[in-house]
Every structure is written in structure tokens, then in C-alpha cells.
Amino acid sequence: MSTVTELDIATQAVSDPPRVIAPERATIFADRARRFAALAEGHALGDWLQLLGRITQAQHAALQVSPVPPVADFPAVEQARQHGMPPVLCANWPRDPIWRDALRQIVTALKADPSAPVREHCAVLTAMPPEALELLADKVLRNEFHGPDSRLLPYVAAALQVYWTVLAAALGAGAIPMLDVPGVCPCCGSLPVASVVRVAPEINNLRYLHCSLCNTEWHLVRAKCAACDATGKVGLRQLEGSSLANAAAMRAEICDDCKSYLKILYQDKALGGDPVADDLATLALDILVDAAGYSRAGPNLLLMPGDV
Ligand SMILES: [Zn+2]
Ligand SMILES: [Zn+2]
């Protein structure tokens, strides 16, 4: 009997899907850049999606040369662990000025961009003193996306994504605990940008929420609201009769308990799909559910008010 029990435990240990998936430095932004380029083909917002692809490619290049910090040894990580908090909580993490190196690399990559407004934004960011850039970073991390500087925030957000993705990848899934609260990233405490129903061995058909900042993913059962944890009044909405390439793959999971929604990407309908890129290529779906009275439960940091 005990042999069977041990066998059961061993089998379960082998087959248990990962609760948390840390980002891969080599592929996370490169795959996203490719997805932006593919989604831009024939899209009404194709120029904008192509630009986002170029920003994402610059993120990839910046990430490849970012040093790997010994993040697990940082006192803040141990303090967070003792209090059951995300280990690199973005709200009070001692942000290293090195994030501005990523911003500098992104801005340098885009300074000769075909888009005149992008060249202008890059010139403004290049001339800004460090203190002003830190204030912009604080705005992004507080999800304050309005104001006269809002056009500059996607570039700052892109650099912060690189910095926090470095931290998440350096920590690894084993050092990122699951939280009692399903609606925030267990690595950095940010809100999810969307969720993904994965197609891959071991995690096939499982749903993971995707962090809007550090690209960590964490498991949440399907048909459960990420914002309020309720299951009773969750439904799906999708674009009907749309010519968008990913219209069938991206749906909005709405909750009538808290009147929020978050998009959900079905990878079996969009191989190569990416939660950030596919989200921005389906803004028509946001308009549809916004009009029905639902509020988005998490931001996409590459989208600022007035962008499109
Ligand atoms: Zn995160
Ligand atoms: Zn809800």
C-alpha cells in the first residue's frame, strides 16, 4: 500500500504543472517583436503595431546586454519572503539606476526611426536629467498614465519592463512564491496584462496570467475572475465577424461580480501569440466591452491614452 502511495506522489510530482513561469531572457521580447510584425500585416493600425515591434526589438537588444544581478541575495528579497510579499515588489523595490541604461539603449535604437514623433520623443528623453526620468518611472509604476508627459511613458515603461524582466529571470520560478491574491504578479506585484491558455507539453490547456511589467506568468484556473476571485458570473466576449487575424484567439473574460474584464489569449488558435502584442492588436474588443460597462483589470504599459 505504501508503495502505491509513494508511486502516486512521485507521479504527481512529475506531472504537476508549474505554478509560476519565469521569463526567458533570450526569447521573451524577440518573440513579441516577431508577433507585432506579423499582426501589423494588413491591420488598420499596422504602422503603430510595427512601431511597437521596433520598440520591442530594442527591448530585446537591451535585455541581452543587461548584467545579471545577484538578486536572490538582496535584503529586500528576504524581507519580502518573510512577509509573504512578491520578492521584487515594484512599489518599493530599491530601483537600480541601471534601468536607465536600458532606456538609453532603447532610445538610441529609435533615434533614427522612420516616425517623426518617435524621433522627437527620443530627443526629449535623451535630454532629460536623471531625476526627471526617475519621476516618469514612478508614474509608470503607479499606473498614472495621464498628463503632459504621457507620450514619453511607453519608452520609460519599455525600459522598466527590461529591468524587471532581468530581475524575474535572475530569480527564476523556484524563488517566486504563489500568493494568496491571484490578481497580482507573485514576482513584482504588478497587475496582469492578459492571460494565456497555453499549448505546450505539461501546461497544455492551462491558463496563466501574464505580468504587465516583469513578464512572469502564474497559474489561475479558468473561468475565475483575476480581479475579484469570483467564479459565479464570469463570461466571455469576442469580436464577431472581424477581419482581424487574431479575432478568434483573443477574448475578453468579463465578470459581473466586479464589472471588470481581462483578455484571454487561446494559443491553440494563434500559435506564436503573445499576450502583450495580441492585446494591442485587438483594441476593438476593449471598445466593445468598455461600452458594455466593464473596466479593464490590468494595464498594457505600451499603450498610453491618446496613442491610437
Ligand atoms: Zn511581475
Ligand atoms: Zn470579478
Side-chain angles (χ1 to χ4, degrees), residues 225 227-228 230 255 257-258 260:
C225 174
C228 77
C255 173
D257 273 308
C258 68
S260 77

Side-chain angles (χ1 to χ4, degrees), residues 79-102:
Q79 285 167 10
R81 193 188 63 76
Q82 289 174 1
H83 293 95
M85 304 289 281
V88 291
L89 185 64
C90 65
N92 54 8
W93 179 254
R95 188 169 67 235
D96 193 302
I98 201 169
W99 80 269
R100 297 199 304 268
D101 288 347

Side-chain angles (χ1 to χ4, degrees), residues 224-231 233-234 254-260:
K224 185 170 198 169
C225 174
C228 77
D229 217 12
T231 55
K233 298 177 183 174
V234 173
I254 57 165
C255 173
D256 275 316
D257 273 308
C258 68
K259 286 289 177 186
S260 77

Side-chain angles (χ1 to χ4, degrees), residues 29 55 59 62 66 98-107 153-166 213 302:
F29 291 116
I55 292 177
Q59 288 181 292
S66 295
I98 201 169
W99 80 269
R100 297 199 304 268
D101 288 347
L103 178 63
R104 198 160 22 250
Q105 284 154 8
I106 292 168
V107 164
L153 298 182
Y155 308 91
V156 173
L160 293 171
Q161 284 177 335
V162 170
Y163 174 66
W164 254 278
T165 300
V166 166
L213 181 66
L302 297 183

Side-chain angles (χ1 to χ4, degrees), residues 186-256:
C187 180
C188 76
S190 296
L191 294 169
V193 60
S195 67
V196 184
V197 177
R198 290 280 174 203
V199 180
E202 292 188 15
I203 56 174
N204 208 27
N205 240 7
L206 296 180
R207 186 260 284 267
Y208 287 83
L209 296 172
H210 191 103
C211 179
S212 57
L213 181 66
C214 78
N215 286 298
T216 292
E217 297 198 341
W218 63 105
H219 179 250
L220 182 66
V221 294
R222 291 164 69 169
K224 185 170 198 169
C225 174
C228 77
D229 217 12
T231 55
K233 298 177 183 174
V234 173
L236 294 172
R237 295 287 182 275
Q238 70 182 102
L239 294 168
E240 303 288 351
S242 168
S243 60
L244 290 177
N246 60 346
M250 191 59 120
R251 299 180 186 174
E253 189 175 64
I254 57 165
C255 173
D256 275 316

